[in-house]
Amino acid sequence: MPYKQYNNNQTTLTFPFGMSVPEDHIVRVISLFVDGMNLEEFTAQYRAGRGRAAFAPKMMLKMLLFAYARGVTSGHKIQELVQENIPMKWLIGNPDIVPNARTINRFRSAEATGELIKVAYLQFRLLLTNLKLIDDEAIFIDGTKIVADANKYSFVWRKSVERYEPLLDAKANALFEELMQTDADIDIKPADDDLLARMTSVAEQLDAKIVRLDQIIETEKVTVGGSKNKQLRRKLKKYTHLLHNDLIARKARYHDSRALFGDRNSFSKTDHDATFMMMKEDPMNNGQTKPGYNLQIATQNQFVLYYDVNQRPTDQRTLIPFLKQLDRHFRFVVADAGYGSEPNYDYITSQYHAVPLIPYTMYLKELSRRYRKDPTKRQNWQYDKTLDCYIDADGVQFRRNKEYDRTDKQTGTIRHFISYEAVADEDPELAKLALTEKGNLRRIAVNPHWEAQKESIRAHLTDEDQAIVYATRKIEVEPVFGNMKHNLNFTRSSVRGLEPVRQELGLTLMAGNLQKLAILIDVHPDLLKGLLKWGSICRTLKVRIAKKVGKKLTRDKKPTELSRNILVERSAFFGSFDLCLSHFCFQVCNRFTETRQDFVGRVL
């Protein structure tokens, strides 16, 4: 059987004149998506003031989105991809353009790129709305840990600093006491001053004193019994060595560490913004913490609509700041039990005006048969509304004793409790059951507001329709994390710092979004027509919409919390031109970087 022609000894290699990619390739979707963006406000920020002209932001954004879609995150690997990959060259448009690794890293870490990514997500949400791929029914929230680009043994713990810094202060004060007893003529500042400044001042005075003693010793004569100046110099050198090599250096480190901690308990010496967290990936099975970030995402139909990166390892305290970033209203907020808390439920119901489909921590356990049959649980006791008392399984009554408030140290939330105390009955058996092992009357504490919230959550989760919405959570968020970590091969950040990591994760998640959109377009070709039409309208109606934006922004009207959704998604101001409205939002977002409430105020 003859083989096909093969010869690698030629001195030249001939390429075809045209270079193209398949019609269903992801680079075509990336190109259409980025070309539909209006980046005039960002172009000026990327222009170099002198030297060579900078690369176009659209080209760099396309290049990074395709690289992350292929699981390539290293700057040098992306440079190799640009040099060798034909779809990447088609996406760039010029085979001779090859940005180096340093240019790539600077672009994805630049502050202007963060604003560019925000606009990209706003544009993508409005694109999905116009393609009827998302609606206002439910938003699904979950989080995962991402390992930071930092050494796993570079930890600094708050408890360690709080433990050893007082010992250092005591050692420094003892040194000051010794200096005051010696004839060193050192001016020590009062104890009220900053200890680091006091130690620095003392060290400078000691250095100057030693210099003067050196000059005196050089000219003095040898005396019987040794020189007192040499003895004093020996003592002072001991103090300066202790100050320079130990006390001042450690005190400065403790001072810097306290500034870096913020409200965290740890940070990494390699990446100061990274916090040590428990990771699911634990190959040693020893519960070792690693420096990382807490990624929070909000999805619908497995599209990431919103995301945020936090330094807190727990999900519970990240929900409220995350919901404040949402620019549209959803009927249901769906999350797992890690987000269930009293302040979170209050914010969702009273300020975000949605239904929380979030079970509390004990929800599943309370549904178990063993829990419902346990006589020691207060939830299984009898409650008399008339007397406002609880009666346990043994017949012991617990009557209202007092009311008090507790303040959460971490969140500052004030929770109201009612204390119930057991009644010492005349019956000896009941009187004995009313006492603890130490002989005190038994007491229970009830938070009425929390109990009402739990009852409401149980009602929502047992409702047939809402239970179906909550059940879809498992197939909404988890596949996104699986695709990001397994298919896109993103388990560790390639940049350092909170903002650069946030931008890199935004690129990764957007690459996953466009990858999914490309697959849907391949299955449903009608979506491509909508994408082409959407991009065309965004480009051609720019001037017309800008004029209407000016008229709209001049209207003085009192904003409401939920009016942004009505404006962005349902406004009749532009008639049937929802796509024009989307471009209007891009113009506003490009011009203003502000919070959710400020954005609503400016638009209305």
Side-chain angles (χ1 to χ4, degrees), residues 288-301:
Q288 184 183 28
T289 58
K290 295 180 182 178
Y293 296 90
N294 189 355
L295 170 64
Q296 299 290 314
I297 65 171
T299 69
Q300 190 179 118
N301 293 331

